[in-house]
Amino acid sequence: MKRRKPLISTLVLFTKPAILKAKRNLFFFLLIAASAYAQSTFDYYTYKNTSLDVVTNPASIVMGESFVANRNSISSFIENPANLSGQSKTGLFYNIRFHDWAEHANKFQFTSAGAILNASFATIGIAYNQFTSGPIPMNLALADYNTEESNQTLSVSFSAPLAENLTLGLSVKAFGHSRTSSIGSATGLDSKSAFLLDIGALYSIGLSDKETKFAYNLNLGAVFQNVGTDYKEKDDIFGNDYRFVRLPRYFKFGFAFNSQVRNASGSNDIEATLTGQYKWLTNPQSEEVSNVDYWGGGAEFTIKEIFVARAGFFQTPEYWLIYERAKPLFRYGFGVKIPLQKIGINLPFVILADYSFIPINDVSLSTMNGQADSKKLLRAIGISLQFGSSLF
């Protein structure tokens, strides 16, 4: 059977010459867009850029998606389960990463929600990540209707100390893909979920100087991600047979260096965190063998334990329409931490809110009415609630 050229290479990872030839009707665009997120690239590419591997944490996004060794963020256990520790605060989080890079994709978004439970018997992290396309209008000979593409990843993470400064972590994950229709008809998709593991480690070195009120901490982290079964699905867009879909497996390692300047009361006047990470796609398909190296890094500054400013870069080897390949992509954002006790509420809770900006290429596409649309910034937002102590 002749190999089919994958649709994902013609849309989400558009090359610039390809987009100049792609100004056709909106229905064709939306059909390809749905298939790009819904379908594997079979023989050429792994099924990347889904809820399985897209980072939604706004702080991590800004800092180069480089939290493999940064356990200061409540949802960083998604990037490395070893980021959980006995010091992890019990809490809840919700993040949204908008992927509305053009009018045709104005409902595309990635979300994550989860919790950390720091009990006396274990530290457990739970996360649910999802991509949704939003309603996509379809026009057939007999009816107009909407379909919606989505993929989901559910993970449960655990960690335990192996030595005084060394923590090991494990995540158990399930990944699936679904399609719904506004008229309740058959969607032409049947899938078998994949079950995967993340195995991570974190080594921490802490230093402090009580006389000068300085404190330092260096974390070194590494993780193997998505070890397990390949995903299997049948999609009528691509044929009538079940096919195994290769999911991306990554090895990541990096560092997080944190420094604090404390005042006489013991709280931090200024806190700075630097992070860096290398990510390697370990199972590339035929068209990806030279496009496997991802880099990222960033800096975060916190003033009076309340105001946070961040900046960083991310470098991808992939050919994207909205990003430059193999070039550092600048990102920036801010956050705020609100300890309820500091605003007169006698509860040991801290509310954290983060907002991130993701600059992209200025892209213009033709719509059905002939107008051009473009976007220069994507956004990500997150909110979390942390408790000051263990619940049990």
Side-chain angles (χ1 to χ4, degrees), residues 24 57 60 68 75 112-113 115 121 156 167 178 199 204 213 227 229 237-238 254 290 336 376:
R24 299 174 182 168
N57 180 348
S60 181
V68 68
S75 62
S112 66
F121 52 87
V156 180
T167 302
S178 60
I199 304 170
S204 181
K213 307 299 181 181
V227 178
T229 65
I237 294 176
F238 294 87
S290 61
V336 61
K376 297 180 180 179

Side-chain angles (χ1 to χ4, degrees), residues 71 81-86 88 122-125 157-161 167-170:
R71 59 173 32 155
N83 283 331
L84 291 171
S85 72
S88 296
T123 302
I124 303 170
S157 303
F158 309 87
S159 72
T167 302
L168 299 183
L170 176 70

Side-chain angles (χ1 to χ4, degrees), residues 91-141:
L92 308 170
F93 65 86
Y94 182 72
N95 301 315
I96 304 177
R97 181 172 182 168
F98 297 98
H99 199 59
D100 50 341
W101 57 277
E103 180 183 344
H104 317 315
N106 63 351
K107 300 295 184 181
F108 285 15
Q109 66 180 30
F110 296 86
T111 58
S112 66
I116 289 180
L117 175 62
N118 187 356
S120 58
F121 52 87
T123 302
I124 303 170
I126 301 173
Y128 181 76
N129 298 350
Q130 179 173 254
F131 165 79
T132 55
S133 66
I136 299 174
M138 294 294 180
N139 186 306
L140 299 180

Side-chain angles (χ1 to χ4, degrees), residues 4-14 28 31-36 39-41 237-238:
R4 184 191 307 272
K5 186 173 178 63
L7 291 183
I8 198 168
S9 64
T10 64
L11 178 72
V12 179
L13 306 183
F14 259 138
F28 177 77
L31 176 62
I32 300 302
S35 300
Q39 187 53 255
S40 115
T41 53
I237 294 176
F238 294 87

Side-chain angles (χ1 to χ4, degrees), residues 227-256:
V227 178
T229 65
D230 284 333
Y231 168 68
K232 186 179 182 181
E233 76 173 25
K234 179 179 70 174
D235 192 329
D236 291 350
I237 294 176
F238 294 87
N240 298 320
D241 299 324
Y242 279 98
R243 304 191 68 166
F244 283 101
V245 178
R246 184 180 295 184
L247 299 176
R249 296 173 184 169
Y250 299 107
F251 173 68
K252 303 193 298 188
F253 68 87
F255 73 92

Side-chain angles (χ1 to χ4, degrees), residues 165 203-208 215-219 258:
N165 296 321
Y203 185 75
S204 181
I205 304 170
L207 301 171
S208 63
Y216 307 93
N217 182 267
L218 174 64
N219 291 336
N258 177 267

Side-chain angles (χ1 to χ4, degrees), residues 51-221:
S51 61
L52 188 63
D53 62 349
V54 170
V55 174
T56 57
N57 180 348
S60 181
I61 290 170
V62 168
M63 298 169 70
E65 304 181 15
S66 63
F67 277 15
V68 68
N70 186 9
R71 59 173 32 155
N72 291 337
S73 178
I74 185 173
S75 62
S76 63
F77 70 88
I78 298 175
E79 299 179 56
N80 182 357
N83 283 331
L84 291 171
S85 72
Q87 288 73 46
S88 296
K89 293 182 178 179
T90 296
L92 308 170
F93 65 86
Y94 182 72
N95 301 315
I96 304 177
R97 181 172 182 168
F98 297 98
H99 199 59
D100 50 341
W101 57 277
E103 180 183 344
H104 317 315
N106 63 351
K107 300 295 184 181
F108 285 15
Q109 66 180 30
F110 296 86
T111 58
S112 66
I116 289 180
L117 175 62
N118 187 356
S120 58
F121 52 87
T123 302
I124 303 170
I126 301 173
Y128 181 76
N129 298 350
Q130 179 173 254
F131 165 79
T132 55
S133 66
I136 299 174
M138 294 294 180
N139 186 306
L140 299 180
L142 300 178
D144 294 335
Y145 66 99
N146 293 329
T147 66
E148 182 169 346
E149 297 284 346
S150 63
N151 55 72
Q152 310 85 20
T153 303
L154 175 65
S155 64
V156 180
S157 303
F158 309 87
S159 72
L162 184 65
E164 182 178 357
N165 296 321
L166 179 62
T167 302
L168 299 183
L170 176 70
S171 291
V172 181
K173 304 194 291 189
F175 172 81
H177 165 221
S178 60
R179 181 184 299 148
T180 57
S181 169
S182 61
I183 58 177
S185 61
T187 59
L189 176 71
D190 189 24
S191 62
K192 310 294 183 182
S193 297
F195 297 94
L196 309 162
L197 297 176
D198 290 356
I199 304 170
L202 188 77
Y203 185 75
S204 181
I205 304 170
L207 301 171
S208 63
D209 187 335
K210 295 182 180 180
E211 294 183 357
T212 59
K213 307 299 181 181
F214 284 95
Y216 307 93
N217 182 267
L218 174 64
N219 291 336
L220 304 174

